Amino acid sequence: MKPSAPAIPLILGLSLLGASGAYLYMLFKKRRSNATGDLVDFFTRSTSKQDAPVAEIVIPNSLIPLVIGRKGYTLQHIQQSTGASIYFVDHDESSQLCRIQGPSQAAVEKAKEMVLKETSRPITITEEVIVPQAACGKILGRCGDELQEICRKSMAKVWLEGRARSETERRVMITGTASQIKVAKELIAQKVREDHDSKKMLADPTRQTREPRIRTPPTSSAPTPVPSDGGMKLNATSPKICVEKRNSSSFAAGQMEVFVSTIVSPSKFYVQLVGPQSTELDLLVLSMTEYYNQNQNRELHRLRKPYLGQIVAAEFNADNKWYRTEISAILPNEYKPGEVVLDLFFVDYGDNQYTNPNEVYELKPDFLALRFQAIECFLARVEPTQQSNLMPAPASATGEEEWDPVAVTRFEELTYVAQWKKIVSKIVTYRNSKSPLHGRETSPIPGVELYDTAPNGMDQINIAQQLIAEGLARPASSERLDELSRSQLFRLGLTNGTDGSSSQSSSIDKVDDVSASSSTSASTVISSGVHINGTGQTSPKVEQQQQQKQPQQSVRYRSLANGAH
């Protein structure tokens, strides 16, 4: 039976369609996967590996920033170095899946190694520490030196927040690794403890004790010396005590408590104000002694080239403690030709010491925070019993009269020099001062009355009147007042507008301004060829040419820090 004509094209089309489908299947589906996942060629039955190797790593969310880096720079560097492609997909709540795909297995392995290396680095984080507002000054230090030291030691970035968190607290921010932040926190806590301990010591009067700072035993233990008066001996076995009926428990106008730290003579001595600054000075000395007793710190601050007026650190040879000093003179060494010695003025105490340059060191800036404590004064309304005719007339005007050594010794006894016994001081006059260093500001030198507490514990002893009563001084023939500026008069409280009922604190402020000037003079005076230091002891005689008898050709010597040669 022959098919009909219309059915032939249909049968032929179906046949060609099936043949074409089979051909296309054979053409495009030459490979298939076997049981192991390898690709098998359909015709040759040979297996082949995948063209793009892939590696996967599970990375915690906290380490993802280390792999990506700042602005993606780390991730870009890994991809460019290896040629691999790296992308992240969610894995769970605490981690992500890092998928690495590269042109070769070696490239994938290298990229994986670099990713794992980045995840092993310490994490940089930022934390905060709350500190008392009052301790911020201790943390910052002078000009931020202490804060820079914390950063240097901890290798972390530390800064104080601009605005205070509250009236009593402030936030300190720390950025770094966990170990760096731990070190920074320990250093900050140490500064807070130091600030707390210093305030606790200031508030505890039982801890405010000082050791005598003298090179020789106190002269007060010796019997009262007997002054000479024209070859006649004055009976001074029991000198009359000049007592003023004044209650020592309450301060009169302009009075304040002081320590007498150094005496050259009644015409020139140094005092320290009694108060919190006394304890701060004691803490400063302890800190300086601890710091400069370490060899590495001394090497760090070795003095290369000393110059006049330089503030340095030096050891006091009487107690082996370290103090702030000023280079007041650079002199030839009499025992070692070609070398020099430094005449050092202790800016907090007023005495002097000769020291070799290799024993003096630069002062760490932190130790300059406390203002200088030594205030030069002179005893008002008295003068030596006998003025030397060899001394030029202007000597009394500058307050450097020649005093009998016996009078100086007795004055040391009455004022308890460097034994840190409180006595009362009152400013009654002044004297102008001049600095030999060009451009250095000076302050007037106050003339004071000194009062000690009488044996009855109520009245006061006028020390100037006591010297007069013992024949060691006489009332001043005239009071000479130098021409001072209005601001200087105001600082001394000698202007017409001064309130007579001013409190002790206001008087302290006035005298404290005097101590603030860096022109504090050295207590080194050379008179009649004898070098007298701040403790009243004479050093080797200075050679002077005194053959000239004309007054205008006589030479008077003073330390460079106290006046021109």
Side-chain angles (χ1 to χ4, degrees):
M1 181 179 176
K2 294 182 179 181
S4 60
I8 294 176
L10 180 60
I11 295 172
L12 182 59
L14 292 175
S15 301
L16 292 175
L17 181 60
S20 299
Y23 177 79
L24 292 174
Y25 176 79
M26 296 294 293
L27 180 64
F28 294 105
K29 194 67 176 178
K30 291 183 178 181
R31 295 178 298 177
R32 61 184 176 87
S33 300
N34 62 7
T36 62
D38 296 333
L39 295 179
V40 181
D41 190 274
F42 185 81
F43 296 102
T44 62
R45 302 292 181 178
S46 61
T47 60
S48 62
K49 298 294 182 179
Q50 293 183 358
D51 293 338
V54 178
E56 295 179 347
I57 309 172
V58 178
I59 301 177
N61 291 335
S62 60
L63 301 180
I64 295 297
L66 298 177
V67 179
I68 297 177
R70 187 175 183 181
K71 297 183 179 181
Y73 290 155
T74 303
L75 186 61
Q76 293 177 13
H77 172 69
I78 297 175
Q79 294 182 131
Q80 292 173 1
S81 300
T82 61
S85 298
I86 303 174
Y87 55 93
F88 297 89
V89 295
D90 293 335
H91 182 261
D92 55 32
E93 295 181 355
S94 61
S95 62
Q96 293 191 35
L97 183 65
C98 176
R99 191 183 298 274
I100 306 173
Q101 184 176 0
S104 65
Q105 190 65 32
V108 172
E109 292 297 330
K110 183 178 180 182
K112 181 179 179 180
E113 180 183 353
M114 295 179 69
V115 170
L116 293 176
K117 182 178 179 181
E118 292 298 328
T119 58
S120 63
R121 291 193 301 111
I123 305 174
T124 300
I125 56 178
T126 299
E127 295 187 8
E128 65 178 35
V129 179
I130 306 302
V131 300
Q133 176 69 24
C136 291
K138 196 74 173 179
I139 296 173
L140 280 172
R142 184 180 177 88
C143 301
D145 290 340
E146 290 296 332
L147 188 61
Q148 293 178 10
E149 187 73 5
I150 293 174
C151 295
R152 186 186 66 82
K153 290 182 177 180
S154 65
M155 300 300 292
K157 181 181 179 182
V158 185
W159 72 97
L160 269 70
E161 198 175 42
R163 292 188 303 173
R165 187 170 180 263
S166 65
E167 294 182 357
T168 59
E169 294 179 341
R170 196 166 182 179
R171 183 182 286 109
V172 180
M173 309 302 296
I174 310 172
T175 298
T177 64
S179 58
Q180 293 171 348
I181 291 176
K182 180 180 179 182
V183 174
K185 286 183 176 180
E186 291 175 353
L187 295 174
I188 292 172
Q190 180 181 353
K191 294 299 179 183
V192 174
R193 286 195 301 269
E194 290 176 2
D195 179 75
H196 177 267
D197 292 342
S198 63
K199 287 182 172 59
K200 185 177 180 181
M201 180 172 288
L202 291 175
D204 186 2
T206 62
R207 301 178 64 181
Q208 300 180 20
T209 58
R210 282 186 176 184
E211 298 178 357
R213 186 180 179 275
I214 50 180
R215 292 187 174 91
T216 56
T219 56
S220 57
S221 61
T224 303
V226 180
S228 59
D229 186 12
M232 298 179 61
K233 297 290 183 179
L234 298 177
N235 185 9
T237 55
S238 56
K240 181 180 178 181
I241 299 178
C242 299
V243 177
E244 294 188 5
K245 296 297 181 180
R246 185 177 300 170
N247 191 347
S248 61
S249 61
S250 60
F251 290 96
Q255 289 189 349
M256 67 205 78
E257 288 185 324
V258 297
F259 295 129
V260 177
S261 57
T262 299
I263 288 178
V264 178
S265 70
S267 297
K268 182 174 182 178
F269 57 92
Y270 292 85
V271 302
Q272 296 175 353
L273 298 179
V274 176
Q277 64 270 23
S278 302
T279 305
E280 292 178 10
L281 178 60
D282 295 340
L283 294 174
L284 174 66
V285 172
L286 293 177
S287 299
M288 288 186 60
T289 301
E290 180 181 359
Y291 183 81
Y292 284 100
N293 277 341
Q294 301 180 21
N295 294 329
Q296 64 271 21
N297 293 336
R298 292 199 300 270
E299 288 297 325
L300 182 63
H301 298 283
R302 185 166 294 279
L303 193 64
R304 307 301 177 186
K305 188 176 181 180
Y307 57 87
L308 289 179
Q310 184 177 9
I311 304 299
V312 295
E315 188 178 31
F316 189 53
N317 56 21
D319 57 11
N320 298 324
K321 294 180 180 179
W322 289 80
Y323 298 90
R324 303 185 296 185
T325 64
E326 178 185 8
I327 300 177
S328 59
I330 302 176
L331 307 172
N333 192 328
E334 299 178 359
Y335 304 100
K336 295 182 180 179
E339 298 184 6
V340 298
V341 295
L342 304 180
D343 184 5
L344 301 180
F345 170 68
F346 290 81
V347 295
D348 295 307
Y349 295 86
D351 43 8
N352 281 69
Q353 176 176 289
Y354 289 116
T355 307
N356 291 326
N358 57 2
E359 298 176 355
V360 177
Y361 299 89
E362 295 176 343
L363 188 67
K364 186 180 178 183
D366 297 350
F367 298 136
L368 280 172
L370 181 66
R371 70 195 316 169
F372 300 156
Q373 298 297 302
I375 305 173
E376 182 181 355
C377 301
F378 65 93
L379 192 61
R381 298 171 181 170
V382 294
E383 62 184 17
T385 54
Q386 294 180 353
Q387 294 282 353
S388 173
N389 295 329
L390 298 177
M391 180 64 69
S396 61
T398 59
E400 295 178 10
E401 302 96 343
E402 284 188 290
W403 285 82
D404 192 298
V406 175
V408 175
T409 302
R410 180 57 176 159
F411 184 59
E412 292 177 353
E413 296 176 1
L414 294 172
T415 56
Y416 310 95
V417 59
Q419 299 180 52
W420 317 124
K421 182 182 183 298
K422 299 176 185 178
I423 61 175
V424 177
S425 171
K426 180 181 180 182
I427 301 176
V428 295
T429 184
Y430 59 89
R431 183 176 69 228
N432 208 348
S433 63
K434 297 180 181 180
S435 172
L437 302 180
H438 178 69
R440 173 171 288 191
E441 182 186 357
T442 60
S443 293
I445 300 175
V448 299
E449 292 179 347
L450 298 178
Y451 299 91
D452 187 20
T453 304
N456 60 12
M458 297 295 295
D459 299 323
Q460 293 179 331
I461 301 173
N462 188 320
I463 293 178
Q465 295 300 321
Q466 186 67 29
L467 291 176
I468 294 174
E470 296 181 16
L472 300 174
R474 66 183 182 187
S477 56
S478 63
E479 289 288 346
R480 179 182 182 274
L481 300 180
D482 292 337
E483 292 294 332
L484 300 182
S485 66
R486 182 175 179 83
S487 62
Q488 290 174 321
L489 292 172
F490 178 77
R491 287 196 294 177
L492 283 175
L494 298 174
T495 57
N496 294 332
T498 302
D499 186 3
S501 61
S502 58
S503 62
Q504 180 193 6
S505 60
S506 62
S507 301
I508 291 177
D509 291 338
K510 296 168 188 173
V511 179
D512 210 17
D513 285 337
V514 177
S515 67
S517 173
S518 59
S519 61
T520 310
S521 54
S523 59
T524 302
V525 179
I526 301 177
S527 176
S528 302
V530 179
H531 195 173
I532 305 175
N533 60 24
T535 59
Q537 305 296 324
T538 58
S539 57
K541 183 179 294 185
V542 178
E543 297 181 0
Q544 303 181 31
Q545 298 294 334
Q546 297 183 346
Q547 287 84 359
Q548 304 294 336
K549 296 183 180 180
Q550 292 81 357
Q552 64 272 18
Q553 295 181 351
S554 62
V555 181
R556 291 169 49 242
Y557 293 87
R558 289 192 295 175
S559 171
L560 283 175
N562 187 38
H565 271 75

